Amino acid sequence: MITATAPVIEEKNYLNAEHGLKSWLLTQDHKRIALLYLMAVSVFFIVGGFFAVLIRLELATPAGDLLDSNTYNKVFTMHGVVMIFFFLIPSIPAILGNFLLPLMIGAKDLAFPRINLLSWYVYMLAGILGTTVLLTGGVDTGWTFYTPLSSTYSNGYVVLTAMAAFVAGFSSILTGLNFIVTVHRMRAPGLTWFRLPLFVWAHYATSVVMILGTPVIAVTLFLLMLERGLHIGFFDPAYGGDPVLFQHLFWFYSHPAVYIMILPSMGVISEVVSTFCTKKPFGYTFIAFSSVAIAVFGFLVWGHHLFVSSQSAYAGMVFSILTYIVAIPSAIKVFNWSATMYKGQVRLETPMLYALGFIGLFTIGGLTGLFLAAMGLNVHVTDTYFVVAHFHYVMVGGGVMGYLAGLHHWWPKMFGRMYSRTWSMVAAGLVFIGFNLTFFPQFLLGYMGMPRRYHVYPPEFQVLNVLSSAGASILALGFLIPGIYLTWSLKYGAKAPANPWGGVTLEWQTSSPPPTSNFDVTPVITNEVYDYTNQEVPHIG
Amino acid sequence: MEAKSFALIPEAASTIANQVDALYAFMILVSAFFSLLIAFLIIFFAVKYRYRRGVKPTFKPANEHSIGGLVLEIVWTAIPLGLSMIMFVWGVSIYFTESRPPANSMEIYVTGKQWMWKIQHMEGASEINELHIPVNRNIKLTMTSEDVLHDFYVPAFRTKADVLPGRYTTEWFNATKEGSYHIFCAEYCGTKHSTMVGTVYVLSEPAYATWLAAGSGQRSMAEQGQALFNQLGCGNCHASVINNGTGRGPNLNGVFGSVVDLKDAGSVRADESYIRESVMYPQAKIVAGFDDIMPTFKGLLSDEGMLKLIEYVKSLGLKNGAPNNGLPGSGMTNATVPAPGRPVGSSGANAPVVTR
């Protein structure tokens, strides 16, 4: 229902309610905090992307002609650390989740606005530690920090980097805690659990993983710092430790962390697909519970990273079968999204293009995960480019495509402006093509036997590497263009209506951008979510 | 390395390689089917059900609560589950073959360090970043690292295993094609990780015998181990010939591969890792009937020296408790080593058969 209040003068909204730096840095408004996160996370995405460019440039030839080995190792380490801890983990939850969760449940804010602001400051503290590492010489352990390389042999700033990831973890924990309490306590009257948008379900599941998993990585990194700094033996056999113990602890968090990075994206896709098909998502309860199932089973599969690490074959079997089981809820989601399109009114606007891209790429990412779960095949392809390709299909093809879908979907709501329809479609196409050209050859490289983290490589791998580097340049362009037209739209974009896409979740029922208090009147929900019966399809473009 | 034209599957040069490739082919078929199915559906639906202004669809929103919807949900849960269970069982069956060296394997020792592979043959020959092996023979590598984690990977054999400091891991293969193949370190190990590479040379039996003979004149691993044993004074407590098996330390004859009772109840199988632990951390497991008096030899013995010592202890096992005359070249080592150049057909007879 669009209420027609004629915008005579600039309406009061959260953006123009207050002015000045202080009004931003001390804000307790979840929407403003989301924008603080947007700025910081975007900077880290650019930094991480810059490292990716260096990697692909170096690998265009078999010899190590651009960077020396030490620098190359630091570059891929920092690419991983920055992208995972400072971009992928906070991106959707801390930006879109922060902005939308209260709006979607008809609340004025998150349950703990001050803790929300604190989480941003904690994240920034971690970011400053990480940036210090970058500026003072870097670290070369790989983002996995495997011992005893990290604890004893590495020359880089391991303790500082581990500290950065350690601190960033607390930011995740605070966000997760805030989301869980908010979903439990702040829902508008009548908004029962099964009337929650799927985006909220996905964020609820993500938050559970955040608060249960993150303390484990914190403890692990703390032990690593103790061993590195004080030579207290946990992981290095020279001090009586066990290097494989580190891998167990690390992956006990880091595998579920993959779901922290992908579940919010899945939530975005559920919203975007439903909106642009003008149709209730097919299998709402199946999609909702599959998020919960992924969160639960995701904690039981870490050992599939250790099939060649001297882990017992029987333990390996258990991890292998559980890995197949955790894949099923993802398959259910893909089928349900596809079925949602059946007999819908499909509009291929930019967010939908990204969503369809997500479905295609995530399908390939998920299916290649089945290759890696097969123990006998895993032995050959683990630690090769096959893993690199699989991981990027899930994290970029899934995580980043979902982030871009969400950013384009809710940009008009966040800033009250429309971006260029043409340019955004061009960019979506470039991202899809560039991504596939970058990462598909890496599956083939991996099966050919090229190990990951190789600075120089035998010449027979060059053709595929050149293809990959060529794709990366297209991908880089695809990421650059949105940076331009989105920034441009902030000043010059057409004013966005309250509901530009014809969505039915609560955030579309308030103005764009929303007022500081989100809703002038607290909504009362009397109907199913995703009821499009009275929703007109708006005219766009 | 033969000149390779552009290929998408590496050369298959071991008994396991074709099995791995077959599973890979199956998974590609399944993945291609589902990827194309999804791609077709979303493109088809996007076109067929595209939004047309003014045309209200007459859909009745089907959902999972209708019978048809529920059947769909069950079908697309059950089919992937069934297929994935096939993959699971298939993957496990290959893994169990891959991870269990056959009893008759020829043994070779590998020590990884930043950034090289050191290979030690039992006959005494050693090499760096090269591994010469005979074709059509089961080869078992026993591996350890002097520093960080490494991983011994031969793509043509489709197998790899992590190499860890402070313990022993194994890897085995049976090369089916003569030729030379890459060895890669597959576990990131620091600055020069990507140059920790080498070559496996798979030779015919006669060529291997020739190669091995060229390295003769070196003492066998067990002999070198015995020299270390004497040099470190191990025999003062352990050598049964002096104290008739009632010394301050346990009798080592026949200990390898046996089950040892421990002082604090329980028992342990005396394998490579146990021997290593007992030398480096003697107090970790005290054999029943003995006191905690042995000092650590940590720092006195390199990882390679440790392997030689283990090989010596193994050779004592083959004497089956008989007194060891302690003289080098007593012939005991020959029993542990498959005679080089023996015809392939009798590979079963190459195994050191332990009769008790």
Side-chain angles (χ1 to χ4, degrees), chain A residues 276-358:
Chain A
F276 289 96
C277 295
T278 320
K279 187 161 167 272
K280 178 182 173 162
F282 189 88
Y284 170 91
T285 33
F286 286 86
I287 296 180
F289 278 114
S290 64
S291 290
V292 179
I294 288 172
V296 172
F297 284 105
F299 274 107
L300 305 174
V301 299
W302 78 90
H304 67 211
H305 294 269
L306 282 77
F307 289 154
V308 298
S309 301
S310 79
Q311 176 177 255
S312 122
Y314 296 101
M317 275 175 68
V318 175
F319 287 120
S320 173
I321 196 167
L322 286 167
T323 304
Y324 281 110
I325 288 174
V326 82
I328 302 299
S330 298
I332 291 174
K333 281 182 195 279
V334 169
F335 288 125
N336 277 298
W337 291 322
S338 309
T340 302
M341 297 175 71
Y342 176 71
K343 292 200 174 174
Q345 293 173 279
V346 182
R347 285 168 289 144
L348 295 180
E349 294 298 328
T350 308
M352 185 63 170
L353 291 181
Y354 278 112
L356 296 185
F358 172 102

Side-chain angles (χ1 to χ4, degrees), chain B residues 149-160:
Chain B
L149 304 178
H150 301 283
D151 186 294
F152 194 91
Y153 178 33
V154 183
F157 299 165
R158 306 287 188 276
T159 194
K160 67 162 71 74

Side-chain angles (χ1 to χ4, degrees), chain A residues 73 140 237-238 242 247 283 285 307-309 314 336 342 344 346 370-371 376 379-380 382-383 447 454 460 539, chain B residues 10 21 27 31 49 51 53 64 73 91 95 98 100 149 153 160 162 167 182 185-186 188 191 193 281 298:
Chain A
N73 295 343
D140 71 341
D242 180 348
Q247 296 175 30
T285 33
F307 289 154
V308 298
S309 301
Y314 296 101
N336 277 298
Y342 176 71
V346 182
L370 303 182
F371 289 57
V379 169
H380 174 51
T382 191
D383 285 325
Y447 202 80
Y454 261 34
E460 68 258 32
H539 177 73
Chain B
D21 288 350
M27 304 206 49
S31 303
Y49 301 114
Y51 169 67
R53 181 162 300 281
E64 73 274 19
E73 297 285 353
Y95 186 83
E98 262 171 348
R100 296 177 167 183
L149 304 178
Y153 178 33
K160 67 162 71 74
D162 278 7
R167 73 172 78 166
H182 287 298
C185 176
Y188 175 65
T191 310
H193 169 54
Y281 306 98
K298 210 178 148 190

